[in-house]
Amino acid sequence: MVEYKIVHQLPGRIKIHLPLIKGLSVEKLKLLAERLFADFELPDGIKKVRPNPITGNVVIEYDPNKIDIFVFLEELRLRFKDLDINSFLKN
């Protein structure tokens, strides 16, 4: 199951802690993003997503007039609820 914790939030910007990315190499992080989002387009209200595999945090910049960030995060969590990161990243 993919779990996250909100670290900080302001309208238009949210930082979440996503333990599953902590410690991933840049190559593994890119592979994860490519595989997870191959058939998924980010909603119009999402401006930028910046993952940091060193801290395990992800900063999302968004337009609060176009998207409810909490609904979006819940949709992502449900979409990837059964993800097994280790088998997913095997080549």
Side-chain angles (χ1 to χ4, degrees):
M1 177 173 278
V2 176
E3 294 294 330
Y4 68 90
K5 176 182 166 191
I6 295 172
V7 177
H8 183 71
Q9 190 263 335
L10 295 169
R13 183 180 183 279
I14 191 167
K15 182 189 287 186
I16 61 171
H17 183 69
L18 190 62
L20 75 88
I21 70 163
K22 189 169 184 173
L24 290 180
S25 67
V26 172
E27 293 79 22
K28 290 285 187 184
L29 188 61
K30 286 181 184 178
L31 178 63
L32 179 65
E34 288 170 6
R35 290 185 178 174
L36 288 179
F37 298 106
D39 64 344
F40 180 83
E41 189 172 322
L42 287 175
D44 185 41
I46 301 295
K47 296 178 180 180
K48 187 185 281 188
V49 178
R50 294 188 328 257
N52 183 330
I54 295 171
T55 64
N57 292 334
V58 178
V59 174
I60 303 171
E61 294 178 22
Y62 64 97
D63 182 340
N65 296 314
K66 292 185 178 179
I67 189 167
D68 181 328
I69 196 67
F70 300 106
V71 170
F72 173 69
L73 290 174
E74 182 61 13
E75 288 171 355
L76 283 180
R77 189 186 69 76
L78 291 174
R79 177 180 169 90
F80 303 120
K81 68 180 176 143
D82 297 324
L83 176 69
D84 177 358
I85 191 72
N86 294 321
S87 63
F88 194 79
L89 288 174
K90 285 183 183 175
N91 291 331

